Amino acid sequence: MNIACETQLAPVAQFSVSQRYDRYSDSDHESWHYAMRALVKVLRSRCAVPHAEAMRQCGLNSDRLPRMSEINHALDRFGWETMMVDSFIPPPTFMALQAQRVLPITRHVRAQSQLGYTPIPDIIHEAAGHLPMLVEPEYRRFLQRFGEEGQRLRYSGLDERVYVAQKRYAEYAGLPNTDVRTMGRLKDELELLRVQQKDALTPACLLSRFHWWTVEYGMVGRDAKLFGAGLLSSSTEALASDDTPKLRLSLECLEYDYEISRMQPQLFVADDWSHLNDQLSRVMSHIV
C-alpha cells in the first residue's frame, strides 16, 4: 500500500484489519447473494457503467462474498486497491487513503432484514457500491482528486463530535436487535450536533455534503444514470431514485444537508464526467 508519508501511515495502520474470510457465516454469504441478485436486476438499466461487466472487472460475483485478495488482483489494472476496516474511519484518514487510490472496505455484512438499506458501512455498500465505478477512468480521476483536496482540510472539534455521534448511531442501528429508546437517544444526540454544525459550517463540513451528493448519491448524464455508492448498493434506493426530484449538480448542493437515517429527498445530476470534475474544482474554490 503506497501511503505517501508516515503521518498518513500511522492512522491507516490503526484501522487496517484482516478479512478473516473463513469466519463469514452461511447467512453472511446469503445476504450478499440476495442483495446482489436484486441489484443486478435493478442496475442493468440504471447504472452509469455496464454493471455486470464492471462487477466482473472488479473481481465481484453474485454468488459469494468477495475476497480482498481477489479484488485487489482485479483492481491492479486500474492502479487502485482496497483495505479492510472494521467500521467507520475518520474522514481525514478516509480522504488520505482515497488520495492514494485506496478504498476502505468494511468487513461487516448487513443482516438479511436490512438488505434494502442500513446506515452502517458494510461490505455490500463498499464493495458492490464503490468498486464498479472504478472502471470509468474519469470517475477514478475525480475520486482521487477528491481525496487529495479533502485530506488538506482542517476538521473542527464539532466536526469530530458529529463524526463520533454518527458512528455510534449507525453502528447501533446496524445491530440485529436494538432498543427503541436507545436508538431514539442516539439519533437525537446526532441531530442536535448537526443543528449546531449548521451554524458553524466549516470547509470540511461543506465538502462532506458534496461527497454525499456525488460519491454516495450522485447521478450523471441526460438519463440520470446512477454512480453514487449509496444507490448502487441498495436496490430499494436505486428504484426510488426514478421518482426522486432531481437538480442539476452545482454549488447549490452545498446548501443541502443530509441524514443517514432516511431516503434522500432530492438528488443531484452531473451533466457528464467533465462537469463532475469541474464542480469539484468550483467547490474547492468556494469553500477554501
Side-chain angles (χ1 to χ4, degrees):
M1 193 173 303
N2 301 316
I3 303 304
C5 62
E6 290 184 359
T7 57
Q8 293 176 351
L9 183 60
V12 168
Q14 177 183 350
F15 293 102
S16 178
V17 299
S18 171
Q19 185 174 19
R20 300 186 303 196
Y21 193 86
D22 60 337
R23 297 193 184 184
Y24 286 128
S25 66
D26 289 342
S27 179
D28 291 333
H29 286 284
E30 288 172 0
S31 288
W32 172 269
H33 175 67
Y34 294 147
M36 295 311 304
R37 186 171 62 181
L39 285 168
V40 166
K41 180 179 180 180
V42 169
L43 296 176
R44 185 177 296 118
S45 61
R46 292 177 174 85
C47 186
V49 296
H51 184 254
E53 176 61 16
M55 289 275 292
R56 186 192 67 77
Q57 289 191 43
C58 292
L60 305 174
N61 68 67
S62 301
D63 296 331
R64 58 175 175 79
L65 284 161
R67 294 180 183 271
M68 291 301 98
S69 58
E70 294 175 0
I71 289 177
N72 285 332
H73 177 73
L75 294 184
D76 186 59
R77 75 185 73 180
F78 305 126
W80 281 71
E81 61 182 310
T82 63
M83 183 187 82
M84 184 128 278
V85 298
D86 256 336
S87 182
F88 283 95
I89 60 175
T93 303
F94 184 92
M95 290 296 175
L97 284 168
Q98 195 165 285
Q100 295 298 317
R101 301 189 300 277
V102 179
L103 283 177
I105 303 290
T106 306
R107 182 166 52 191
H108 169 74
V109 185
R110 70 186 68 177
Q112 292 185 31
S113 61
Q114 297 178 325
L115 289 184
Y117 175 77
T118 178
I120 188 172
D122 81 320
I123 196 169
I124 294 175
H125 170 79
E126 292 176 341
H130 285 289
L131 295 183
M133 288 308 306
L134 292 180
V135 304
E136 169 54 53
E138 289 195 72
Y139 184 73
R140 293 199 302 269
R141 184 167 68 90
F142 168 78
L143 209 58
Q144 183 177 4
R145 281 188 60 220
F146 208 124
E148 291 169 349
E149 299 287 3
Q151 70 178 343
R152 298 189 182 105
L153 298 182
R154 184 177 297 276
Y155 290 77
S156 71
L158 180 56
D159 291 337
E160 173 68 17
R161 291 195 296 275
V162 170
Y163 157 74
V164 171
Q166 181 171 289
K167 182 176 186 291
R168 287 174 178 165
Y169 168 76
E171 289 179 344
Y172 187 78
L175 296 175
N177 298 301
T178 58
D179 174 72
V180 174
R181 285 186 295 182
T182 302
M183 181 79 77
R185 176 178 58 80
L186 293 173
K187 185 176 181 180
D188 289 345
E189 290 174 357
L190 173 58
E191 290 180 350
L192 177 60
L193 287 169
R194 291 192 72 88
V195 168
Q196 296 174 17
Q197 194 178 41
K198 289 178 183 179
D199 296 325
L201 291 173
T202 63
C205 179
L206 290 171
L207 190 64
S208 75
R209 291 183 177 184
F210 187 66
H211 188 274
W212 186 263
W213 299 123
T214 56
V215 177
E216 293 297 341
Y217 283 93
M219 309 178 84
V220 64
R222 182 176 300 176
D223 297 330
K225 297 295 187 181
L226 315 182
F227 72 84
L231 298 170
L232 297 186
S233 60
S234 168
S235 56
T236 301
E237 293 195 277
L239 284 169
S241 72
D242 289 351
D243 300 316
T244 303
K246 299 171 182 65
L247 302 172
R248 183 173 183 259
L249 183 66
S250 69
L251 291 179
E252 182 185 3
C253 75
L254 302 182
E255 300 174 14
Y256 290 78
D257 200 2
Y258 60 88
E259 294 183 21
I260 64 172
S261 59
R262 63 184 176 95
M263 303 281 277
Q264 309 311 306
Q266 74 285 308
L267 295 166
F268 293 86
V269 185
D271 296 346
D272 50 32
W273 299 122
S274 178
H275 178 227
L276 179 67
N277 273 285
D278 177 65
Q279 291 306 301
L280 176 57
S281 298
R282 293 192 65 199
V283 165
M284 294 309 301
S285 296
H286 177 73
I287 67 177
V288 177

